Amino acid sequence: DGGITQSPKYLFRKEGQNVTLSCEQNLNHDAMYWYRQDPGQGLRLIYYSQIVNDFQKGDIAEGYSVSREKKESFPLTVTSAQKNPTAFYLCASSIARAEAFFGQGTRLTVV
Amino acid sequence: KQEVTQIPAALSVPEGENLVLNCSFTDSAIYNLQWFRQDPGKGLTSLLLIQSSQREQTSGRLNASLDKSSGRSTLYIAASQPGDSATYLCAPEGGEKLTFGTGTRLTIIP
């Protein structure tokens, strides 16, 4: 089955801890994206990557980091510098200027 | 900076009715516009993609139109069903990324 796999589905973070969200795709897409969704707000772009070993900051990159070492993988690390990390995180991929596909999301909660 | 507005924010209609969801955007320099649906607690499912050179795109009971010059798109749903209940999001693509509105939460009453 082709698609985008996000893991874990639920994640709990203690104060001051870094956590990493996984995103893997087998669609052979060049572009990958991370979005954050909060209740009552639209999706906001955190980071995106158009090609391996290159990525750009989105609108709300502070407190987050990413890597793109393989075409299939685009992990997102939520660092301790992110003061309000509780949210629903969505990963997407696409071929440039074509249909984008999303994973099922990871719900991160600070405990 | 692209801004996307979706009206209404919420809509409830009886089953079987036809309905229209509206999307407006401020920057007309887009490559395409995509409509998605999102069920509670789930990811986004792509419904339709309209390229900037197109005026309309259809898939089953769904029809999306795009007027790039005026910054507007509409999603028409024919003969609505309870399974259509979800949040609908539009997202124009420009500058290598999608920009999202806050969506329209649709409830179909059986």
Side-chain angles (χ1 to χ4, degrees):
Chain A
D1 260 332
I4 302 175
T5 302
Q6 289 188 242
S7 61
K9 188 173 181 180
Y10 299 97
L11 186 58
F12 299 91
R13 191 194 95 165
K14 295 181 180 178
E15 295 281 352
Q17 192 178 41
N18 292 355
V19 291
T20 297
L21 285 60
S22 171
C23 179
E24 303 276 334
Q25 55 100 357
N26 60 5
L27 300 168
N28 200 32
H29 287 170
D30 290 313
M32 297 187 73
Y33 310 83
W34 275 106
Y35 288 87
R36 169 179 172 144
Q37 188 176 35
D38 294 281
Q41 296 194 37
L43 277 70
R44 292 181 291 166
L45 183 64
I46 305 172
Y47 269 98
Y48 63 104
S49 168
Q50 297 290 332
I51 196 170
V52 174
N53 292 323
D54 189 36
F55 47 82
Q56 286 76 42
K57 293 182 179 179
D59 301 318
I60 55 165
E62 186 176 350
Y64 299 97
S65 66
V66 293
S67 63
R68 186 84 188 276
E69 297 177 1
K70 298 187 299 181
K71 188 175 185 178
E72 304 80 24
S73 178
F74 192 40
L76 173 73
T77 297
V78 184
T79 74
S80 57
Q82 172 49 241
K83 298 306 178 189
N84 185 22
T86 295
F88 191 49
Y89 291 86
L90 289 158
C91 178
S93 73
S94 73
I95 298 172
R97 304 179 190 179
E99 193 173 11
F101 295 90
F102 279 76
Q104 287 301 300
T106 293
R107 187 165 300 280
L108 174 63
T109 304
V110 174
V111 295
Chain B
K1 179 183 175 184
Q2 179 76 275
E3 293 185 2
V4 179
T5 303
Q6 291 189 245
I7 295 173
L11 180 64
S12 292
V13 300
E15 180 179 0
E17 281 200 5
N18 303 326
L19 56 101
V20 174
L21 306 181
N22 296 294
C23 170
S24 62
F25 48 94
T26 55
D27 185 353
S28 62
I30 63 171
Y31 301 121
N32 59 55
L33 185 141
Q34 202 165 347
W35 281 92
F36 297 88
R37 71 173 276 168
Q38 184 177 30
D39 294 291
K42 304 292 186 182
L44 276 62
T45 300
S46 177
L47 297 173
L48 288 164
L49 172 74
I50 312 177
Q51 297 292 348
S52 61
S53 58
Q54 295 177 312
R55 301 280 294 183
E56 273 189 18
Q57 193 67 253
T58 297
S59 175
R61 294 183 295 108
L62 305 179
N63 176 275
S65 67
L66 175 64
D67 184 342
K68 198 175 98 161
S69 61
S70 68
R72 293 182 182 177
S73 178
T74 61
L75 179 67
Y76 175 83
I77 302 177
S80 58
Q81 302 171 357
D84 295 331
S85 296
T87 296
Y88 290 80
L89 298 153
C90 71
E93 181 184 357
E96 300 180 324
K97 60 184 181 179
L98 296 170
T99 301
F100 286 85
T102 53
T104 294
R105 189 174 70 251
L106 176 64
T107 303
I108 306 301
I109 305 165

